[in-house]
Each structure stands twice: as structure tokens, then as C-alpha cells.
Amino acid sequence: MSEPPAHPVLETARLHCRSLEEALGGFRRHGLDRVADWGGRLADVLTGGGRLLAAGNGGSAAQAQHLTAELVGRYRRERRAYSALALHAETSSMTAIGNDYGFDHVYARQVTAHGRPGDVLMLLSTSGRSPNLIAAAVTARQAGLRVWALTGRGPNPLAEAAHASLCIDAGSTANVQEIHLVAVHLLCECFDTAVAARSARRAVLTHGSTS
């Protein structure tokens, strides 16, 4: 005797989880090397006195702010605070720039104000087509920042405007955002691992020079 059909609401949940599993599988196969590389590079920048700037729109803004909070605070292990700013959280600047220059410039102008050569700009977008993020990427490259894009399915204009990108192949915006959160956490984990390794190397060199 066959099983009765699942309740429509339960079936919706199952389909969502199935598509999320597929997207996560693709990320594991194609995205881990990029995240690990970014974690190591970010450790070099921030421990050297540089800064991370991050931005997104809507849910991606929340993801960007999650990333900066983990760096200024901590992810898992205790460590010093590092300089990281979520540009959309500067609400007075955002609204003033939007009012005076237009919404397409709300991030680019802040990049001009806060970014320095060698800093990193992380831009998150499920579509990869947000004009204000593309403008920020162009401005950052001109100012000597390193630009990374975390987007949905590629190719897309934001990925093309960045120095490096991680494009998530997923069937829905929700799944893209869910994988972005995994990527943010893994980036923090790789960053912490790289920072700890640098500290261990310095300790060995210091001990060796004084022994």
C-alpha cells in the first residue's frame, strides 16, 4: 500500500531543504578553495593594519553586517578586534548620500571616504546586478582596494567588476542567502585559523631569537 501524499506545507519544506542541499553540495565542490584563500588574504590585510569594508542590500546587508560583527567581536576563539565596517549601517551617511547624490552612490562615496589602498571591499548580492554595489566595486578598484564579490548564479555584472568572486548556483534567492551565511562563517573560521598560524610562527621566531 502506497504512502499517503505529504501535506502541501510539509512538501514545500522538503523541497526547500532538497534545493538547499544541492546548493550546498555545489558550494563544497567549487567554493571552499576560494573561501580559504580569502580567509588567508584577509588575515594578511587586517593583521597588517588594513580594514574590511562590506556592503549589501536587503538580506545581503544583514549578511555583510554579520561578517563585520564577527571580525570586530569574535567568531569562536578569543582574539583581538579587527577593523571592519558595514557601510549600510552608517544610516545618516546612507540617507544623506542617497538624498544628495542618489541611491546608486550610497556605497561608492563611503568607499572613497573610508577605503585605503590595500584594504578589502566585500560586496554581497543575490542577483549580482545591484547598481550601487557595482559602482562601489568600480570606485574601490580605482582607489586601490581589493574587491571580492559573493553573489548568486554567475556570470553577473558584480562578479565581473570584482577582482575575485564566489557565485552560488542555487534555485532561489533564499538558498543563495543561506549558502552566503555558510560562506561568511567559513570565511571567519579560515581567517581565525590563519591569524592563529601567524601568531604561532611569530612566537617560534621570537623564542628562537632569544634562546
Side-chain angles (χ1 to χ4, degrees):
M1 183 175 180
S2 61
E3 295 183 3
H7 189 280
V9 175
L10 177 58
E11 185 60 22
T12 296
R14 287 175 174 170
L15 289 173
H16 182 102
C17 289
R18 190 175 304 137
S19 63
L20 176 58
E21 289 168 355
E22 292 173 358
L24 182 60
F27 171 69
R28 290 181 63 185
R29 290 190 297 273
H30 306 298
L32 294 186
D33 287 347
R34 176 56 50 85
V35 173
D37 177 65
W38 283 356
R41 290 175 182 268
L42 189 60
D44 291 339
V45 171
L46 298 192
T47 59
R51 171 179 291 166
L52 172 73
L53 305 178
N57 298 307
S60 294
Q63 303 275 27
Q65 195 166 349
H66 188 144
L67 172 60
T68 59
E70 300 283 23
L71 294 170
V72 176
R74 67 180 182 187
Y75 177 60
R76 288 188 178 180
R77 65 190 74 180
E78 188 62 40
R79 53 155 169 75
R80 56 161 285 194
Y82 291 96
S83 182
L85 295 176
L87 299 180
H88 59 275
E90 294 291 321
T91 53
S92 293
S93 293
M94 279 273 294
T95 53
I97 295 167
N99 186 62
D100 294 342
Y101 300 95
F103 190 69
D104 288 358
H105 300 279
V106 293
Y107 295 136
R109 194 162 180 87
Q110 290 189 76
V111 167
T112 300
H114 300 302
R116 300 293 182 267
D119 287 348
V120 174
L121 174 65
M122 172 71 87
L123 300 171
L124 294 87
S125 172
T126 57
S127 69
R129 302 182 183 281
S130 301
N132 57 359
L133 298 179
I134 296 169
V138 172
T139 298
R141 293 187 67 144
Q142 292 172 346
L145 282 74
R146 192 74 181 170
V147 182
W148 299 338
L150 188 57
T151 77
R153 186 172 291 156
N156 59 70
L158 181 58
E160 293 171 2
H163 288 101
S165 61
L166 177 55
C167 302
I168 303 302
D169 189 359
S172 70
T173 297
N175 288 155
V176 171
Q177 289 178 331
E178 288 154 354
I179 302 302
H180 280 185
L181 178 57
V182 174
V184 163
H185 280 164
L186 289 181
L187 176 60
C188 293
E189 190 148 359
C190 291
F191 171 82
D192 280 1
T193 299
V195 168
R198 288 170 63 94
S199 297
R201 286 195 298 270
R202 281 198 302 269
V204 169
L205 291 174
T206 301
H207 179 75
S209 64
T210 57
S211 60

